[in-house]
């Protein structure tokens, strides 16, 4: 493929003193060259202005072949852009030509080219050569010049300029002008794709923010008042939307006021395997199922059994499982019944013995198999006891050195906090402070981390008062 030569200008022979006619010719030649140079600069400037000003990429791409043909003084120009994956961008093919035969047929063939519908077409040299040959076949006697449109090392399209009068003879200036048009086009296409990507990210961010708001509303925004215990809870998601779940559910929601505070409450801690939006959606689904199950009044082991059967199909399709520790607490007797679906066993600080034990019961993950049995445990909480529910995002959190926070460090931190006789909120704050110091203040957690602290306040021992006999003396 060659190029049309610029208009040839021959300097007059200087065989002696210049005549007035020769001087006039030189002046006209200089003015012509200066005018042509100014015209070319104006054309390139107009394309640069359009690139900066047009918010509609289609309008800019329509302008490209017009400017290319006028700048290079050819009969026509053809722009064949590629999409981000390398396929021919059929909707953005633009052709400008003065009375070119079969113009519409060429556009139709380019749009229906089978190979052009495949990803990676634009980066395949063999396919680009076949594209060039196709264009050449429709203008067989024309001079044709083609150059690639490249941005950030990726092929963004192909620009053709042609002249039906015959072969083109290009000067270096012509080549540079053609390449400048191609480069400006590549930048425009790249900028538009970056803009579209940024807008997609903004939409996703908005959706995530909405999801995070909904999830935050589903998690309790404050701990309920339950007679005889002090509660504190916090969830710190690794992403905007997480898979951790904790809840406080009255088993008899119709009760109000003091009767509700004295009624039985379900205390739940769970974790959907995975992170982000999918885990958050499954957590939301399970929350609805569990809250419905709580109304049945069944013991914890039966609650988990029924929940496992209800969630089986949805979890199987998502290829995810759920760990869940379910317990119910009766304030009148201080008895806590519990069942565990392979969740981290809560830690129980026994104030009288000054030691920590685990609350655990046998049970499989929710969603692992349809028929699963769950063990039932029971414990009576005493004055000063502290119960810590948590997710594995706490114990699996990596520190600066690469070590995990692990259960041993959590037990040590809980023991120190409990020995100080703090409130449930103070204990929770102390545990998160210890976790933050271990992970690093400026580092993001890799997984959602949630903790719930339940404390039975210490009994208030009133001082004994000596009885005075106030009967009158005889």
């Amino acid at each position: 493929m060659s190029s049309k030569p610029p208009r040839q200008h021959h300097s007059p022979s200087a065989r002696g003193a210049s005549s007035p006619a020769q001087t006039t010719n030189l002046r006209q030649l200089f003015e012509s060259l200066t005018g042509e140079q100014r015209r070319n600069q104006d054309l390139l400037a107009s394309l640069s202005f359009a690139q900066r000003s047009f918010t509609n990429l289609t309008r800019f791409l329509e302008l490209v072949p017009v400017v290319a043909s006028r700048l290079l003084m050819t009969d026509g120009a053809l722009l064949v852009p590629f999409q981000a994956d390398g396929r021919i961008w059929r909707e953005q093919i633009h052709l400008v030509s003065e009375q070119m035969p079969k113009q519409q047929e060429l556009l139709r063939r380019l749009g229906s080219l089978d190979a052009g519908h495949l990803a990676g077409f634009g980066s395949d040299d063999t396919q680009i050569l076949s594209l060039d040959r196709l264009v050449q076949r429709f203008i067989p006697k024309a001079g044709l010049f083609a150059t690639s449109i490249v941005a950030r090392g990726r092929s963004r399209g192909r620009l053709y300029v042609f002249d039906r009068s015959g072969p083109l003879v290009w000067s270096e200036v012509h080549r540079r002008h053609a390449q400048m048009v191609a480069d400006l086009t590549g930048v425009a296409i790249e900028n538009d794709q970056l803009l579209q990507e940024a807008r997609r990210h903004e939409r996703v961010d908005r959706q995530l923010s909405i999801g995070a708001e909904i999830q935050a509303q589903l998690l309790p925004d404050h701990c309920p008042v339950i007679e005889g215990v002090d509660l504190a809870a916090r969830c710190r998601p690794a992403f905007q939307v997480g898979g951790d779940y904790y809840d406080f559910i009255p088993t008899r929601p119709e009760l109000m006021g003091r009767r509700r505070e004295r009624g039985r409450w379900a205390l739940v801690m769970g974790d959907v395997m995975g992170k982000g939006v999918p885990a958050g959606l499954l957590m939301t689904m399970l929350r609805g199922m569990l809250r419905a199950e709580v109304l049945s009044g069944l013991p914890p082991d039966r609650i988990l059994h029924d929940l496992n059967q209800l969630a089986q199909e949805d979890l199987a399709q998502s290829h995810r499982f759920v760990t869940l520790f379910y317990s119910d607490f009766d304030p009148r007797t201080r008895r806590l019944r519990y069942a565990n679906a392979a969740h981290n066993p809560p830690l129980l600080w026994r104030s009288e013995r000054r030691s920590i034990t685990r609350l655990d019961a046998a049970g499989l993950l929710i969603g692992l198999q349809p028929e699963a049995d769950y063990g039932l445990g029971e414990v009576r909480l005493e004055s000063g006891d502290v119960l810590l529910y948590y997710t594995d995002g706490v114990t699996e959190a990596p520190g600066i050195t690469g070590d995990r926070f692990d259960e041993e460090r959590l037990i040590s931190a809980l023991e120190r906090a409990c020995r100080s006789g703090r409130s449930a909120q103070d204990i929770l704050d102390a545990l998160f402070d210890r976790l933050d110091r271990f992970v690093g203040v400026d580092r993001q957690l890799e997984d959602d981390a949630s903790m719930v602290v339940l404390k039975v306040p210490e009994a208030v021992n009133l001082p004994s008062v000596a009885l005075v006999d106030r009967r009158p003396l005889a």
Side-chain angles (χ1 to χ4, degrees):
M1 295 180 185
S2 59
S3 161
K4 177 179 179 179
R7 295 178 180 177
Q8 302 297 320
H9 302 282
H10 301 283
S11 299
S13 174
R15 293 179 179 176
S18 299
S19 66
Q22 290 174 326
T23 302
T24 301
N25 290 337
L26 286 172
R27 185 183 300 111
Q28 290 175 347
L29 175 61
F30 177 77
E31 291 176 353
S32 175
L33 291 173
T34 302
E36 183 177 333
Q37 185 180 31
R38 188 181 302 114
R39 169 184 167 277
N40 292 343
Q41 290 175 346
D42 289 344
L43 285 168
L44 289 171
S46 68
L47 194 61
S48 298
F49 176 80
Q51 183 192 53
R52 297 192 306 270
S53 306
F54 286 3
T55 56
N56 186 335
L57 180 65
T58 300
R59 291 182 60 195
F60 176 84
L61 296 182
E62 288 173 348
L63 186 62
V64 169
V66 176
V67 171
S69 62
R70 291 181 181 178
L71 180 65
L72 302 171
M73 294 177 292
T74 59
D75 289 343
L78 170 66
L79 173 66
V80 184
F82 302 146
Q83 298 187 49
D85 61 0
R87 290 179 294 130
I88 290 179
W89 199 348
R90 293 176 294 168
E91 297 80 7
Q92 296 293 356
I93 298 175
H94 297 289
L95 171 64
V96 172
S97 176
E98 297 178 2
Q99 299 178 351
M100 173 185 169
K102 299 184 179 180
Q103 179 173 324
Q104 294 303 319
E105 177 65 15
L106 173 58
L107 293 175
R108 189 189 66 79
R109 286 290 302 276
L110 290 171
S112 61
L113 187 64
D114 290 340
H117 298 170
L118 302 177
F121 174 88
S123 58
D124 188 333
D125 292 340
T126 302
Q127 297 295 350
I128 295 299
L129 181 59
S130 68
L131 179 65
D132 293 346
R133 289 171 177 168
L134 173 63
V135 175
Q136 183 75 77
R137 283 201 303 271
F138 276 84
I139 41 176
K141 296 180 180 180
L144 180 66
F145 176 82
T147 185
S148 291
I149 299 170
V150 179
R152 298 176 65 186
R154 290 188 293 179
S155 178
R156 295 300 191 184
R158 198 82 169 145
L159 176 64
Y160 301 90
V161 289
F162 53 88
D163 198 300
R164 292 181 293 112
S165 62
L168 302 176
V169 179
W170 286 102
S171 69
E172 187 60 31
V173 172
H174 284 81
R175 293 181 185 277
R176 286 202 301 268
H177 284 167
Q179 195 58 54
M180 288 176 67
V181 173
D183 290 344
L184 288 171
T185 306
V187 171
I189 294 174
E190 179 71 16
N191 286 345
D192 183 76
Q193 291 183 354
L194 290 174
L195 178 62
Q196 298 304 324
E197 186 68 21
R199 288 174 177 170
R200 282 193 292 270
H201 283 299
E202 288 176 1
R203 288 194 293 269
V204 171
D205 287 342
R206 284 197 297 270
Q207 292 170 1
L208 285 174
S209 296
I210 294 171
E213 291 176 7
I214 294 173
Q215 186 177 20
Q217 293 170 2
L218 294 177
L219 291 174
D221 56 357
H222 65 277
C223 295
V225 176
I226 301 176
E227 187 175 87
V229 296
D230 181 21
L231 288 169
R234 187 184 307 168
C235 174
R236 185 179 293 171
F239 299 89
Q240 282 184 282
V241 181
D244 278 11
Y245 166 59
Y246 66 83
D247 211 348
F248 312 104
I249 312 169
T251 60
R252 295 187 61 189
E254 73 277 7
L255 299 179
M256 303 298 292
R258 295 285 292 173
R259 295 182 64 195
R260 172 179 284 202
E261 295 174 13
R262 294 171 180 170
R264 188 184 295 274
W265 283 78
L267 294 89
V268 188
M269 176 68 77
D271 186 5
V272 178
M273 290 186 175
K275 308 178 184 69
V277 175
L281 291 173
L282 286 174
M283 183 276 284
T284 304
M285 175 196 72
L286 284 168
R287 175 187 182 272
M289 291 182 178
L290 181 60
R291 280 185 161 251
E293 277 298 308
V294 169
L295 299 179
S296 67
L298 294 172
D301 56 328
R302 292 299 307 172
I303 294 285
L304 290 189
H305 176 272
D306 294 348
L307 179 65
N308 177 65
Q309 290 188 325
L310 286 172
Q312 190 67 222
E313 183 175 352
D314 292 322
L315 290 173
Q317 292 178 354
S318 69
H319 304 290
R320 282 178 166 83
F321 306 104
V322 178
T323 68
L324 189 71
F325 187 92
Y326 179 92
S327 60
D328 62 28
F329 177 72
D330 187 347
R332 295 168 299 178
T333 62
R334 290 185 182 171
R335 291 199 172 275
L336 184 89
R337 301 184 301 176
Y338 57 89
N340 194 4
H343 192 76
N344 302 80
L347 302 176
L348 175 61
W349 160 261
R350 285 297 198 180
S351 178
E352 184 177 350
R353 294 198 291 266
R354 317 292 282 181
S355 63
I356 291 178
T357 58
R358 299 179 185 85
L359 294 188
D360 202 1
L364 297 175
L365 295 161
I366 300 294
L368 187 61
Q369 65 181 42
E371 288 299 329
D373 292 325
Y374 296 89
L376 178 65
E378 184 174 325
V379 64
R380 187 178 189 278
L381 303 182
E382 304 294 343
S383 176
D385 287 354
V386 175
L387 183 59
L388 172 66
Y389 302 79
Y390 66 95
T391 59
D392 61 5
V394 176
T395 51
E396 294 297 319
I400 299 174
T401 61
D403 295 336
R404 301 290 177 177
F405 189 68
D406 66 42
E407 188 186 51
E408 184 178 349
R409 287 188 177 89
L410 181 61
I411 289 175
S412 177
L414 177 62
E415 187 173 10
R416 284 196 302 271
C418 291
R419 286 181 181 276
S420 65
R422 300 177 179 180
S423 67
Q425 187 62 56
D426 290 338
I427 293 172
L428 182 68
D429 292 341
L431 294 177
F432 269 105
D433 287 345
R434 177 68 183 91
L435 178 63
D436 289 339
R437 291 197 306 273
F438 178 81
V439 172
V441 178
D442 298 328
R443 296 182 64 209
Q444 177 71 25
L445 292 173
E446 292 183 356
D447 196 4
D448 311 327
S450 300
M451 286 188 273
V452 173
V453 175
L454 179 150
K455 179 175 182 178
V456 180
E458 291 84 354
V460 178
N461 296 320
L462 298 176
S464 58
V465 179
L467 297 177
V468 179
D469 189 353
R470 296 185 180 276
R471 289 176 298 173
L473 297 174

